[in-house]
Amino acid sequence: MKMKKFLAAVSSLVMLGAFTACGDSSSNESTNNNSNNNAEATTKADDAATEADAGADNNNSAAGKTVGIAMPTKSLERWNRDGEYLKSQFEAAGYSVELKYSDNNDNQQNNDIQGMIADKVDLLLIAAIDGSTLSQTLADAKDAGIPVIAYDRLIMNTDAVSYYVSFDNYTVGKLQGEYVVEALDLDNATGPFNIEFTAGDPADNNAGFFFNGAYDAVKKYIDDGKLNIPSGKKKFEQVATAQWSTDTALANMQNTLASYYSDGTQLDVALCSNDSTALGVAQAISSDYNGKNVPIVTGQDGDIANLKNIVDGKQSMTVYKNVSDEAGVTLEVSKAILSGQTPDASLLDSLSAEATYDTSSYDNGVKTVPSYLLVPYVITKDNLDKLVDTGLYQWDSANKYLESTASTT
Ligand code: BGC
C-alpha cells in the first residue's frame, strides 16, 4: 500500500483549496461524493483516487459505498480540519461521504447519526460530543449491520463500536507535564512554584486521559511541595471546562486570578489540556494577571491562533497531533472492515504514520475497544518548522506566523 504517495496526492488536493472555510457556523453539513464543483480540484481528486486505487488492495472495497462521518462542531478549529481531511481522503479512495457537524449538541448528533443510518451508510465514523449518550443510536446501527469506528474520542457504554482511532491521549498530557518539569528545571531548582490546571470537557473521554497524563508527570513535585496549587483545585472535576469552551476557560482563569493571585502571588504555570482552553487562559493572563513574569501556558492541537500566541510568547508549547495522519489511519481501518477483514496490529506495517495498536487501554464500560493510537509531539517556538514539514502549515508572507496551507482557518 502506497500510503505516503497517497497522502501526498491528498495533500496536494488539500493545498488547491478544496476545503470549506473554518468558522462557517452552519450546523448541518451534508456532502456527497465528488460534489466538488472546483474542476481543478476534482481532477486532482480523481488523480488521487486513481493513485490510491493503484497502490491499494486488489479488492476494491470502495465501489458504491458510503461512509457517514459525524463530527462534533465547527466551532473548534480542529474538527473542521478532521472533517475535511476525512472527507477528501475517503473521496479520493472512491467512497461517497456524508459529513455532519452537530453544533456540540448531543441530541442533534444522535439525530444526525440516525439520519445516516436511515440513509443506509456502509460505515460510521463518529467523534462523539458526549461519549455516553450514543448507546441507543449505536444499537440501531448494529441492528442495521453498520460497523462503527470511534474517531478520536472513545464512545462509551456500547458493544457496537468496533475500533477506536485516536492519539495516545495519556501521552499528550504527559508531554505537557514533562514540558513543565523541564522548563522550571524542577529536579534542580528550589522553587516553590505555583501551578493551576485547566482541563477539558467531562463528556469527552479523552479529557481525563489528558489531565491524568499531565498530573502524573508533575505529581511528585506537588507532593514534595516544589509545586503549589494556590487555588487548591487539583481534581479533574474542579478544573474541567464544559465543551472545551474558550470563554469558559477565560472566565474560570479570571476568577482564579482574582481569588488567589490579586495579592501579588506569582503564577508560574497554567497547565491547559488543549489549545481552545489555552486561548482563554492566555487572554485572562494578559488582561487580569498582575505579576511581572510570563507564566508557562501549555496546549494541544496546533490551532492557528495558538501558534500565533506561541510566536508572541503568550503560550509556551502545544502538543501537536497530525490529524491528516489520523484520517489516513482511519481510512485504512475502514477499508479493511469494508472488505471483510478484521484489522489488527499488522495493519500498521504498511502505514507511514507512526502509531501503535493497543488492545488494553480503552475500556468503554462494556468492552475494551481495540485502538490505533498515533504519536503526538511537542511544538514550541523553536521547532515550528516541524509543522511546515508536514505540508499542512506554511509561513505567512511576513515570515512571522504560521498559517494553514488548506485555508481552513
Ligand atoms: C481532542 C482534542 C481537542 C478537544 C477539543 C478532544 O477530544 O482530542 O484534540 O482539543 O477534543 O476539541
Side-chain angles (χ1 to χ4, degrees):
M1 193 141 338
K2 292 171 184 145
M3 188 68 178
K4 259 186 188 144
K5 227 172 158 196
F6 168 59
L7 287 177
V10 168
S11 68
S12 62
L13 161 66
V14 164
M15 284 179 210
L16 274 169
F19 279 8
T20 55
C22 165
D24 168 4
S25 60
S26 72
S27 56
N28 244 330
E29 180 181 312
S30 177
T31 321
N32 292 316
N33 189 34
N34 290 343
S35 61
N36 197 330
N37 49 19
N38 175 329
E40 198 177 4
T42 304
T43 311
K44 279 282 170 188
D46 292 345
D47 288 353
T50 310
E51 192 158 349
D53 285 347
D57 348 35
N58 303 329
N59 46 346
N60 181 1
S61 58
K65 301 228 164 96
T66 301
V67 174
I69 303 177
M71 290 285 118
T73 175
K74 288 195 157 219
S75 67
L76 294 166
E77 181 184 319
R78 73 154 290 189
W79 305 110
N80 294 273
R81 286 190 267 131
D82 289 89
E84 294 304 331
Y85 292 137
L86 285 164
K87 179 173 171 307
S88 58
Q89 292 188 30
F90 274 85
E91 287 184 350
Y95 295 93
S96 294
V97 167
E98 199 175 326
L99 168 64
K100 301 230 186 246
Y101 289 87
S102 309
D103 259 352
N104 255 345
N105 177 326
D106 56 293
N107 282 331
Q108 187 177 326
Q109 187 167 55
N110 270 293
N111 291 338
D112 286 340
I113 296 168
Q114 287 291 356
M116 295 195 256
I117 296 170
D119 289 346
K120 299 191 171 21
V121 297
D122 296 282
L123 181 130
L124 280 164
L125 303 177
I126 301 170
I129 292 165
D130 183 333
S132 63
T133 59
L134 293 169
S135 308
Q136 184 51 52
T137 297
L138 294 201
D140 295 345
K142 191 177 177 187
D143 286 348
I146 302 171
V148 175
I149 296 177
Y151 182 82
D152 202 82
R153 298 173 171 176
L154 188 61
I155 306 171
M156 312 305 287
N157 310 324
T158 173
D159 67 348
V161 55
S162 309
Y163 288 91
Y164 177 45
V165 180
S166 190
F167 283 79
D168 181 339
N169 296 304
Y170 182 85
T171 295
V172 169
K174 186 163 167 257
L175 291 173
Q176 294 167 338
E178 287 173 350
Y179 178 89
V180 170
V181 172
E182 211 173 297
L184 292 178
D185 193 16
L186 287 179
D187 286 324
N188 301 304
T190 40
F193 301 97
N194 291 329
I195 185 169
E196 298 293 343
F197 292 88
T198 298
D201 187 346
D204 175 354
N205 185 61
N206 289 353
F209 278 83
F210 300 146
F211 178 79
N212 289 338
Y215 196 89
D216 289 352
V218 295
K219 182 174 184 302
K220 124 171 190 236
Y221 307 96
I222 293 173
D223 290 348
D224 70 14
K226 216 176 249 188
L227 275 180
N228 291 325
I229 313 172
S231 72
K233 293 179 195 159
K234 49 153 83 179
K235 295 219 159 27
F236 173 75
E237 310 80 63
Q238 296 173 303
V239 294
T241 311
Q243 302 208 327
W244 296 94
S245 156
T246 298
D247 289 346
T248 306
L250 164 66
N252 289 347
M253 184 47 90
Q254 283 175 326
N255 286 338
T256 298
L257 291 173
S259 307
Y260 305 98
Y261 292 85
S262 60
D263 62 354
T265 301
Q266 176 164 314
L267 173 65
D268 297 291
V269 184
L271 201 151
C272 305
S273 284
N274 86 329
D275 279 355
S276 62
T277 54
L279 207 57
V281 165
Q283 208 177 317
I285 290 171
S286 296
S287 59
D288 291 46
Y289 177 56
N290 300 323
K292 298 212 170 7
N293 67 313
V294 180
I296 292 167
V297 177
T298 66
Q300 164 190 193
D301 286 330
D303 286 354
I304 295 298
N306 298 77
L307 296 176
K308 182 169 185 296
N309 272 359
I310 288 177
V311 170
D312 291 341
K314 294 178 182 167
Q315 182 171 326
S316 317
M317 59 88 83
T318 190
V319 177
Y320 182 63
K321 307 192 299 192
N322 186 323
V323 294
S324 177
D325 285 350
E326 189 176 9
V329 171
T330 306
L331 172 63
E332 294 309 316
V333 177
S334 305
K335 274 171 38 181
I337 294 173
L338 287 170
S339 56
Q341 296 159 26
T342 305
D344 59 18
S346 63
L347 181 120
L348 294 172
D349 297 346
S350 54
L351 299 188
S352 60
E354 212 188 326
T356 56
Y357 183 64
D358 180 317
T359 52
S360 62
S361 300
Y362 286 94
D363 182 340
N364 77 348
V366 172
K367 67 188 270 200
T368 302
V369 184
S371 307
Y372 292 92
L373 304 176
L374 288 97
V375 177
Y377 53 88
V378 171
I379 289 292
T380 66
K381 68 175 180 335
D382 297 327
N383 69 349
L384 287 164
D385 274 324
K386 236 179 142 171
L387 294 182
V388 176
D389 294 343
T390 65
L392 305 171
Y393 298 84
Q394 64 195 12
W395 290 103
D396 65 7
S397 51
N399 225 16
K400 183 165 186 205
Y401 297 120
L402 287 183
E403 58 190 19
S404 168
T405 51
S407 67
T408 52
T409 54

